[in-house]
Amino acid sequence: MLCAIVAVARKLSGILHRMWIDGTEFQVGFGAKVVEKLRLKPA
């Protein structure tokens, strides 16, 4: 379990670092469709 947590954290940190360097903004994608399909309230 700890290995999986570290792997996800590393992946996320890589994405966030690249966004920070490029200056790009987060664009809502597939996650929004899942929220609509399951009728979940966004965080």
Side-chain angles (χ1 to χ4, degrees):
M1 183 67 171
L2 183 60
C3 185
I5 292 171
V6 170
V8 171
R10 182 178 176 138
K11 178 89 171 180
L12 183 58
S13 67
I15 292 169
L16 292 175
H17 182 262
R18 179 51 52 191
M19 288 173 65
W20 181 45
I21 296 297
D22 291 347
T24 57
E25 294 183 9
F26 178 76
Q27 297 176 355
V28 177
F30 177 71
K33 292 180 183 179
V34 171
V35 169
E36 290 175 6
K37 185 176 180 179
L38 298 177
R39 297 183 183 171
L40 300 174
K41 292 182 180 179

